[in-house]
Amino acid sequence: MNGRWIYLAVGAAGACTAALHGAGWLGVVGMLCYVIWLRYVFRPSWLKPVFLTAAVAVIYMWVLVFDAANQADELPEEGSAYAVISETPQVDGDRLRMPVEIAAEGIQVQAFAFLQNEAEKQKSEALKQGMECYMTGEFERPSTATNFHAFDYKEYLYTEQIHWQWFLEAIPVDCQPAYTWLDYLEHYRQAGVSQVASLLEDPFAGVAAALLFGERKLLDPEVETMYQRLGLIHVLAVSGLHVGIVSFVVYRVFIRFALTKVQALTSLVWLLPLYALLTGAAPSVVRAALIGMLVALALRFHWKLSPLDGLGFAALLMLWADPYYIQHIGFQLSFLITAAIILSRGWLFEKKRNYLSQLFFVSLISQIAAVPVLLYHFHEFSWISPLLNLWFVPFMTLFIMPAAALSFFIVFIHPSLLVIFSPVNSILSFIHDALITVESWRFGFIVFGQPSLGDVFVLSLATAGLLLSFECHRRVMFIAWSGWVLLLGWPAITASIDQTGKVTMLDVGQGDSIVIQWPQREAVDVIDAGGIVSFINEDESWREQSEPFEPGRDVVGPYLKSQGITKIDRLIITHGHWDHYGGAFHLLEAFDVRKVVYGAVAVDEPGEQRFLHAVAEAGSEFIQVRAGDSWMRSDAPVQVLAPIGHETDLNDRSIVLQKTIGQMEWLFMGDLETEGERRLVQQERALEEVDVLKAGHHGSRTSTTPDFLEAVSPEAVLISAGRNNLYGHPHEEVIERLEMNEVPALRTDQLGAVRYTFQEGVPGKFEAARRQKEVTN
């Protein structure tokens, strides 16, 4: 197998993907491409391609067996049991989260607890991995994603072989140590992180913890997001560079202390797994540690080991241990980028290239190789990233990384000497502020939309061809670049000619947000943007989470990017309640919002005024509308039915819109309540019957009244409400009223996001994110 491990690793990666996602036609095409590739590489021999193909088939069957064995076990009926904490508990504000193993059954579950006071928080922070505690609560199945193309927590837990959530009634009690040697290693790691947090200042503390221990919890969430979006997150990961430096230093120290070369290499083989565990055992560090061990063994026993073979063998070991690694973005990026650099090393390090050009092309190749993965997971990538990496990687490698290591060792001499790192902190703060400014440049990002596995497969082939073209004639390189750029722009091209339109009521919890995508990307309109109302008092600051759920950032923005949308033609805020406009602040920052539509009413709430200030800062055109106004969409007007302008109640100031969409008449009610509904019914121009009604005020008992329901006579009603919300929305009276009239209620608290897809001349259909439930016109 010398020189062939990489080919088997590529086949194994494809086999894992096909087995876990369903082979289908893409799996067949992928296998054919693989066989043709092997035949080309190993021509004229048939034996090697046949052997490798057979090995891949065996791996495919092994993954099917592995996945089939990943089934939920039966749980204790009473909901109480002793459980061992499997990983370091995460305490964020008033939330406790930790995976635990029920001792008697050996079942892994994800435990959660809502902390009632600061004392409980302090007790929770004292919990450690390996403790066995008595816990009481209710078991529930994890929920699937409640929005289209959103992160699926159930799928994530499934890959961790966890099938149940345990919502604890109180924090764990009667905790006793049941530590293993792995637990002690994690305790040492967490002690190091705590030491960094207590002795160093931010942001150096967060960066040092990431570089030394692979722990990012000390980083400000905004800073971590900035690193991720700008393609710089790899500099915070413990990876091959760290492992290489540590291995070299340890090896030289061993030689210095009179160990033989054989003894030093053997010691490295044993120490590298410990180092991987002490730095978090992320896929990148596991890969680097495995390759380091293979190199040490190869030197020890005088084996011939090519870099690609080492990479391939490490990938095979990781996939054999856990095939679900193939779905981990860290695994994907780590191996793809490393393989791209190894394959390009001959071209990269030609003698004619100076250090600066080598650094630039390493950064460029890394970013190109990462594009298919980044687009699949995040729907966007930054074309500025190679330029930023050109100076930021040397800065972190030559300056920040040594400073972080030195700070850790200085602690053992005298903590007061850490004052010498104050300039480092100031420099990092300045650079982070500058990078956050760069991140705010919308033109620096290309938004692709959510690609299918087929799109990723084609783009990956084109990316491989582009990287190979670097060693070819300029004409070949030009053709490869042209094809690659065309693929990147293809979603925008298809969107401009696509006759399909969509109306999506997103699940933003207790709030409203509706996205309307008109055919041929004529326009994108967003009605409200959600917003979570905080109930934390000033004297309860301990309850604040580091990055609380924010619908604009966490739901509306990601959904728009998954659709390849960067421009919002009209952002319509129905009225001045936070659960409707709170998420708009993020949209104004992250998207090109051309116009903001608001009711022609008094703006007297402080939050409303802050929102108007944000609109002005974003440079969006501000338009106020009232009953009788309209604008054109798809050759027909969007009619404004309310407000009149003199309403006093905020809910009754809601903008009410009526529009024919996909051969159906729609009525969007905002938070309009009884008085507003009565006024619409009593208007001189009779209220027309509609096909789809977006219920007012989340289906409260003060909306969707009998008279109004009789007047509009809808065929379906959309209701946006949070699950188990404090207000009891939608009210049972409204649901009973709809049932009596045989009108289906499509609710976000039950179905998640609800989407209506339509084309001119073709009946549209509804679909739900949580379960496929269709209501066809």
Side-chain angles (χ1 to χ4, degrees), residues 742-753:
E742 298 183 345
V743 179
L746 306 180
R747 304 162 46 176
T748 58
D749 61 326
Q750 292 182 343
L751 302 174

Side-chain angles (χ1 to χ4, degrees), residues 342-599:
I342 291 174
L343 288 170
S344 306
R345 66 189 185 280
W347 177 81
L348 277 172
F349 302 111
E350 291 178 350
K351 291 183 179 180
K352 65 180 181 180
R353 300 194 192 283
N354 57 36
Y355 173 76
L356 192 62
S357 65
Q358 288 176 353
L359 186 62
F360 172 76
F361 282 113
V362 166
S363 175
L364 180 64
I365 287 173
S366 300
Q367 296 304 310
I368 291 174
V371 164
V373 174
L374 295 176
L375 292 181
Y376 183 74
H377 290 281
F378 304 113
H379 323 313
E380 66 175 357
F381 75 95
S382 171
W383 61 266
I384 305 176
S385 183
L387 299 176
L388 294 176
N389 276 274
L390 186 62
W391 65 269
F392 197 71
V393 169
F395 167 74
M396 294 293 288
T397 304
L398 303 175
F399 183 58
I400 299 299
M401 191 186 299
L406 186 60
S407 68
F408 183 72
F409 289 108
I410 280 180
V411 169
F412 297 101
I413 301 173
H414 203 288
S416 63
L417 295 176
L418 291 174
V419 70
I420 66 175
F421 294 101
S422 294
V424 177
N425 195 69
S426 300
I427 293 170
L428 262 182
S429 296
F430 173 78
I431 290 175
H432 283 176
D433 290 341
L435 290 175
I436 287 173
T437 300
V438 173
E439 185 205 2
S440 68
W441 299 344
R442 288 193 290 266
F443 67 83
F445 295 87
I446 296 176
V447 177
F448 188 87
Q450 174 65 63
S452 65
L453 281 176
D455 295 333
V456 173
F457 179 71
V458 173
L459 183 58
S460 298
L461 292 179
T463 300
L466 175 59
L467 293 175
L468 289 173
S469 74
F470 281 18
E471 300 185 27
C472 301
H473 191 273
R474 289 184 179 180
R475 183 177 298 175
V476 176
M477 185 183 294
F478 175 77
I479 295 172
W481 270 109
S482 301
W484 193 71
V485 171
L486 178 64
L487 282 175
L488 289 181
W490 188 248
I493 297 172
T494 55
S496 64
I497 61 176
D498 189 2
Q499 299 296 322
T500 302
K502 300 174 185 176
V503 181
T504 308
M505 178 175 64
L506 295 170
D507 179 13
V508 291
Q510 186 61 20
D512 270 13
S513 186
I514 296 173
V515 177
I516 305 176
Q517 299 163 250
W518 300 95
Q520 296 180 299
R521 199 54 64 83
E522 171 196 344
V524 174
D525 295 332
V526 177
I527 304 175
D528 292 325
I532 297 298
V533 179
S534 175
F535 295 98
I536 298 177
N537 300 322
E538 291 183 2
D539 58 346
E540 293 182 317
S541 59
W542 65 271
R543 294 179 57 193
E544 294 180 358
Q545 298 176 51
S546 59
E547 192 174 23
F549 174 69
E550 200 283 287
R553 181 193 65 230
D554 299 327
V555 176
V556 187
Y559 177 75
L560 292 173
K561 289 180 180 178
S562 76
Q563 301 298 297
I565 294 170
T566 59
K567 180 187 71 173
I568 300 172
D569 294 272
R570 286 183 184 247
L571 173 58
I572 304 155
I573 303 300
T574 58
H575 65 291
H577 276 150
W578 186 264
D579 61 328
H580 291 254
Y581 73 83
F585 290 91
H586 172 78
L587 299 186
L588 289 168
E589 292 178 358
F591 293 84
D592 178 14
V593 181
R594 298 295 176 85
K595 298 178 181 179
V596 174
V597 179
Y598 206 70

Side-chain angles (χ1 to χ4, degrees), residues 258-271:
L259 268 69
T260 66
K261 181 180 178 180
V262 170
Q263 291 171 331
L265 291 172
T266 303
S267 300
L268 270 181
V269 172
W270 288 100
L271 289 175

Side-chain angles (χ1 to χ4, degrees), residues 202-203 206 216-226 436 546:
D202 287 330
R216 297 180 191 164
K217 67 181 181 182
L218 300 185
L219 284 171
D220 182 275
E222 183 184 12
V223 171
E224 186 174 7
T225 300
M226 173 270 294
I436 287 173
S546 59

Side-chain angles (χ1 to χ4, degrees), residues 526-682:
V526 177
I527 304 175
D528 292 325
I532 297 298
V533 179
S534 175
F535 295 98
I536 298 177
N537 300 322
E538 291 183 2
D539 58 346
E540 293 182 317
S541 59
W542 65 271
R543 294 179 57 193
E544 294 180 358
Q545 298 176 51
S546 59
E547 192 174 23
F549 174 69
E550 200 283 287
R553 181 193 65 230
D554 299 327
V555 176
V556 187
Y559 177 75
L560 292 173
K561 289 180 180 178
S562 76
Q563 301 298 297
I565 294 170
T566 59
K567 180 187 71 173
I568 300 172
D569 294 272
R570 286 183 184 247
L571 173 58
I572 304 155
I573 303 300
T574 58
H575 65 291
H577 276 150
W578 186 264
D579 61 328
H580 291 254
Y581 73 83
F585 290 91
H586 172 78
L587 299 186
L588 289 168
E589 292 178 358
F591 293 84
D592 178 14
V593 181
R594 298 295 176 85
K595 298 178 181 179
V596 174
V597 179
Y598 206 70
V601 296
V603 181
D604 42 25
E605 294 290 328
E608 289 180 283
Q609 295 172 0
R610 206 157 52 88
F611 170 66
L612 296 187
H613 181 68
V615 173
E617 283 191 337
S620 304
E621 182 182 351
F622 183 67
I623 302 173
Q624 290 188 286
V625 298
R626 55 167 47 90
D629 292 337
S630 65
W631 63 87
M632 298 299 293
R633 285 287 183 264
S634 293
D635 300 324
V638 179
Q639 300 285 352
V640 180
L641 306 185
I644 296 174
H646 55 68
E647 296 88 347
T648 56
D649 182 77
L650 273 177
N651 283 342
D652 283 337
R653 293 178 179 178
S654 292
I655 294 176
V656 176
L657 302 174
Q658 187 168 3
K659 175 73 172 79
T660 301
I661 305 175
Q663 303 180 47
M664 300 178 74
E665 196 69 21
W666 291 66
L667 187 60
F668 301 94
M669 298 294 291
D671 267 3
L672 205 68
E673 295 187 281
T674 304
E675 184 59 35
E677 291 182 352
R678 185 182 299 115
R679 187 166 55 249
L680 286 179
V681 173
Q682 294 174 349

